[in-house]
Amino acid sequence: MCDLVARTGRHQQRYEDGRRLVAGCIPFRYRVDETSGDEQKKAVEVLMINSQSGPGLLFPKGGWENDETVEQAAAREAIEEAGVRGDIVQFLGFYDFKSKTHQDACCPEGMCRAAVFALHVKEELASWPEQSTRRRTWLTVPEATSQCRYQWMQEALLTGFSEWHDNWSKSDGGGGGNPV
């Protein structure tokens, strides 16, 4: 049984310019691949979860509420939906999309703006609030791209996460330091 409880309702939801504000993250970790000789190569993997409303995989995301920072909202969604904790290490950008399921009085058109972050996973929880409806899957970036349900999430993965991670890896030399 999970001691954590997911937030519900919209009474503290943030809106701006007719758009619902959401926060999300691309959780990532490193898998060590054995290579020839004594060298080891670190491969990056991202964590995706199943959608509750159809095929394809998603990154954790949800409403950004009035009593939290956008970073706190992204980290909370990672715990609630994917059952992971970690460090927010990079803001990847804002991504606009239309939600078919989240139209309300404050946002009748269903327009949303997502702030997306890279979250370096430090802990996978044995139980989490949405574990009965969510399945976690670790994937390489190409696998995640092909299985991603939404185009805007693919864009966040490719133009946000991958570009940032490639630049960081080159500047750090892939030495495994903190990717901040």
Side-chain angles (χ1 to χ4, degrees):
M1 188 68 167
C2 181
D3 293 334
L4 300 170
V5 177
R7 289 186 176 203
T8 59
R10 295 264 172 93
H11 59 281
Q12 292 196 68
Q13 177 64 59
R14 290 181 190 241
Y15 294 87
E16 179 181 88
D17 299 327
R19 292 180 294 207
R20 178 175 176 242
L21 300 181
V22 299
C25 62
I26 297 178
F28 72 99
R29 71 177 182 189
Y30 295 100
R31 182 186 73 234
V32 177
D33 289 336
E34 298 297 324
T35 59
S36 62
D38 293 331
E39 285 186 38
Q40 290 183 341
K41 184 178 179 186
K42 289 173 31 171
V44 66
E45 294 180 314
V46 295
L47 180 69
M48 299 188 82
I49 54 175
N50 64 299
S51 169
Q52 294 180 331
S53 61
L57 297 177
L58 314 170
F59 294 110
K61 63 119 180 89
W64 172 18
E65 299 187 356
N66 289 325
D67 64 344
E68 61 191 349
T69 66
V70 68
E71 294 87 356
Q72 289 169 332
R76 175 179 51 76
E77 290 296 333
I79 292 169
E80 289 179 3
E81 293 188 349
V84 292
R85 285 192 177 115
D87 299 327
I88 297 278
V89 294
Q90 181 68 36
F91 172 68
L92 302 174
F94 288 106
Y95 298 88
D96 293 329
F97 65 98
K98 184 172 183 171
S99 173
K100 294 178 183 168
T101 58
H102 292 295
Q103 298 171 344
D104 58 28
C106 295
C107 187
E109 300 295 318
M111 296 306 298
C112 299
R113 170 163 275 190
V116 180
F117 297 86
L119 178 115
H120 190 190
V121 174
K122 303 291 186 173
E123 178 184 10
E124 285 186 60
L125 304 174
S127 63
W128 67 96
E130 296 185 20
Q131 72 182 15
S132 64
T133 58
R134 298 287 190 185
R135 185 181 66 256
R136 299 184 285 215
T137 307
W138 286 102
L139 302 162
T140 64
V141 171
E143 290 169 336
T145 302
S146 70
Q147 294 188 44
C148 193
R149 180 171 180 173
Y150 297 116
Q151 191 278 328
W152 73 268
M153 285 189 179
Q154 288 178 351
E155 183 182 336
L157 177 61
L158 295 174
T159 64
F161 179 82
S162 291
E163 286 182 10
W164 161 76
H165 190 267
D166 289 348
N167 289 335
W168 169 79
S169 295
K170 288 174 188 168
S171 68
D172 184 56
N178 190 2
V180 176

